[in-house]
Amino acid sequence: MGFIKEFKEFALKGNVMDMAVGVIIGGAFGKIVSSLVDDIIMPLVGKALGNADFTNLFIPLSGQADGLTLEKARELGSVFAYGQFCQNIIDFLIVALCIFFMIKAMNKLSKKKAEEPAPAPEPSNEEKLLGEIRDLLKNK
């Protein structure tokens, strides 16, 4: 099964357990993933795009001067802060992939448990007695 198809099935199947695990893991690893995006991934992407600082990418809507930081531009009026939005999209995708891989690993473990053959049940007392009688009759 292809990776994209498997991810699509995961995202659309609506299993309550998968969603609960996703919420728990998303909350637990949210800060770690945000730090990964903010402190490691986005600076590298910004460097690759010519030292762009995504947190300060915006379009002024109220005639603010160029060269302002996002905070100062917001103080002076409305802005279209698309850089922060891009950063949040990358953050979401990383969280979604982490949850997907965790669920995939859990499903693989549960399949292995289901595939293991159950040990043969012990014979009942009646079967043991019948076996003993058969063995005694053979020896006579």
Side-chain angles (χ1 to χ4, degrees), residues 19 23 31 51 55 69-70 73 78 93-94 101 111 118 120 126 131:
M19 294 301 291
V23 168
K31 288 184 179 182
N51 292 328
T55 57
T69 64
L70 179 60
S78 298
L93 291 174
I94 291 172
F101 287 128
K111 282 182 185 176
E126 293 172 343

Side-chain angles (χ1 to χ4, degrees), residues 74-135:
R74 282 187 171 156
E75 290 174 5
L76 297 174
S78 298
V79 294
F80 181 72
Y82 64 92
Q84 188 65 43
F85 180 71
C86 291
Q87 190 162 340
N88 288 336
I89 288 173
I90 292 171
D91 193 11
F92 168 77
L93 291 174
I94 291 172
V95 169
L97 281 172
C98 289
I99 293 170
F100 168 70
F101 287 128
M102 183 66 88
I103 296 294
K104 186 175 176 177
M106 289 176 57
N107 287 343
K108 188 178 277 190
L109 287 174
S110 66
K111 282 182 185 176
K112 281 185 180 178
K113 286 182 181 179
E115 290 175 1
E116 290 178 5
E122 295 240 354
S124 67
N125 286 337
E126 293 172 343
E127 291 173 338
K128 288 179 184 177
L129 287 173
L130 288 172
E132 289 176 12
I133 293 170
R134 179 197 64 219
D135 293 340

